[in-house]
Amino acid sequence: MTHVGHDGAGHFVKMVHNGIEYADMQLIAEAYDLIRRGTGKSPAEIAEIFAEWNKGELESYLIEITAEVLRQVDASTGKPLVDVILDQAGAKGTGAWTVQTALSLGVPVSGIAEATFARSLSSHPEQRAVAGGLPGPDEEFTVAADDTEQFIEDVRLALYASKIVAYSQGFDEIRAGAAEYGWNIDLGAISKIWRGGCIIRAQFLNRIADAYAATPDLPVLMTAPYFAEAFTRAQASWRRVVVTAAQAGIPAPAFSSSLSYYDGIRADRLPAALVQGQRDFFGAHTYKRIDKEGTFHTLWSGDRTEIEAEDTH
């Protein structure tokens, strides 16, 4: 984290902005891939879908330019430009720095991480060539004509919900970084600055500003009423899209990880209890109990009685 600590709050915030940008772009790419492979629509037709989305709650610079890229025709071949571009996405390092720093701060930014790893995977054609013969689903994925409109709407809602998760995770990291380094960072002000002019500028940055204005110490951004309502609307669609992608053999790491994070953070109880039990077994790392104060260790290699111990978590 030395590159963050020495550069100051402004560079830290810019780093996280770029990390969110990675997630945003990957989510849009996954939405495009699902629609194209599921419906057979051409890039130009999908461009019109994105242009329409840009008139609503998904309005953003990245959605806008996605439509422009998908409309572009290659002059030398007459093919859609997106079909001529080599499918290997480059990276300047800010996505990786965002993830590395989040790990150091103990903040889960799974959407940003999966987007970063997706670029890494795309950049290893030698591995993909060898792995291309691995088995996949028995049947090719195709959406029935009567279901096309609903499928596209499902993808739109899944994209919106996943974008909220990515931004929420990014703002979690900024808050944690501010606490770690003693910076005074106004999260609402950041969202207004980003809305005014940056690559991830999007309509719902206004909603983020509103959320922090209403509750400056909001612990989880996506629990703000506006976003909670959006998750309510997206629930069924989001889950259908993730299930469909898995069954169809279409990689959707950012969609999937965003939903997993969402379910994890809202869970009453996580299987981490078992992980901590395993840690205590092989490394005497101890554990805490739900019914009493203190730190405990089971004598696994002895008579398996429980003793109080120093906290070594």
Side-chain angles (χ1 to χ4, degrees):
M1 286 173 50
T2 55
H3 59 278
V4 175
H6 293 308
D7 288 348
H11 286 203
F12 179 83
V13 170
K14 175 61 175 175
M15 176 194 71
V16 176
H17 164 281
N18 289 0
I20 295 172
E21 178 187 314
Y22 273 54
D24 213 340
M25 294 172 71
Q26 177 65 24
L27 288 166
I28 291 170
E30 290 178 16
Y32 156 75
D33 196 31
L34 282 160
I35 292 173
R36 186 164 189 189
R37 293 170 67 172
T39 69
K41 289 184 179 295
S42 68
E45 290 172 321
I46 301 173
E48 297 312 308
I49 293 171
F50 276 93
E52 189 62 32
W53 286 356
N54 200 47
K55 298 175 183 177
E57 60 188 358
L58 275 173
E59 182 270 316
S60 69
Y61 174 70
L62 286 172
I63 293 289
E64 176 187 342
I65 68 169
T66 296
E68 294 300 320
V69 172
L70 292 176
R71 286 190 182 111
Q72 186 67 21
V73 175
D74 177 54
S76 61
T77 64
K79 297 178 180 179
L81 180 63
V82 73
D83 288 346
V84 178
I85 297 174
L86 191 65
D87 62 337
Q88 297 176 26
K92 292 292 182 68
T94 46
W97 296 341
T98 303
V99 176
Q100 290 164 356
T101 304
L103 287 169
S104 299
L105 293 170
V107 178
V109 292
S110 50
I112 297 170
E114 289 295 348
T116 304
F117 292 140
R119 292 197 189 189
S120 299
L121 187 151
S122 77
S123 298
H124 287 282
E126 75 289 349
Q127 291 183 321
R128 293 163 58 199
V130 173
L134 292 173
D138 293 333
E139 297 181 5
E140 189 169 340
F141 171 57
T142 304
V143 177
D146 292 345
D147 298 330
T148 297
E149 187 174 333
Q150 181 60 56
F151 177 70
I152 292 172
E153 177 63 6
D154 283 349
V155 173
R156 185 189 73 82
L157 287 168
L159 173 57
Y160 191 55
S162 298
K163 281 163 68 78
I164 294 171
V165 168
Y167 281 70
S168 185
Q169 290 179 344
F171 275 87
D172 281 349
E173 181 169 356
I174 293 172
R175 185 195 306 104
E180 174 74 13
Y181 296 112
W183 295 325
N184 182 20
I185 297 179
D186 185 334
L187 298 177
I190 288 172
S191 64
K192 291 179 181 178
I193 293 170
W194 287 355
R195 175 58 171 151
C198 70
I199 291 177
I200 64 170
R201 59 184 180 269
Q203 182 185 114
F204 73 74
L205 281 166
N206 294 331
R207 301 296 187 174
I208 294 176
D210 292 343
Y212 284 120
T215 312
D217 59 349
L218 184 65
V220 182
L221 174 61
M222 63 189 200
T223 61
Y226 174 83
F227 297 123
E229 187 278 331
F231 286 126
T232 298
R233 287 188 290 111
Q235 276 300 296
S237 293
W238 198 7
R239 296 182 189 283
R240 278 196 297 266
V241 166
V242 171
V243 169
T244 297
Q247 291 178 332
I250 299 174
F255 274 153
S256 301
S257 66
S258 297
L259 180 58
S260 291
Y261 172 83
Y262 173 83
D263 283 335
I265 203 166
R266 71 180 190 84
D268 291 334
R269 186 167 171 80
L270 294 167
L274 177 57
V275 173
Q276 195 60 27
Q278 293 168 335
R279 295 183 73 236
D280 188 57
F281 190 107
F282 66 68
H285 291 293
T286 74
Y287 53 85
K288 295 184 182 294
R289 296 176 58 98
I290 63 172
D291 54 356
K292 65 176 76 172
E293 294 295 322
T295 302
F296 303 89
H297 166 60
T298 292
L299 300 174
W300 297 103
S301 58
D303 61 5
R304 300 206 172 188
T305 56
E306 182 180 77
I307 62 171
E308 282 207 62
E310 292 185 10
D311 187 350
T312 59
H313 285 62

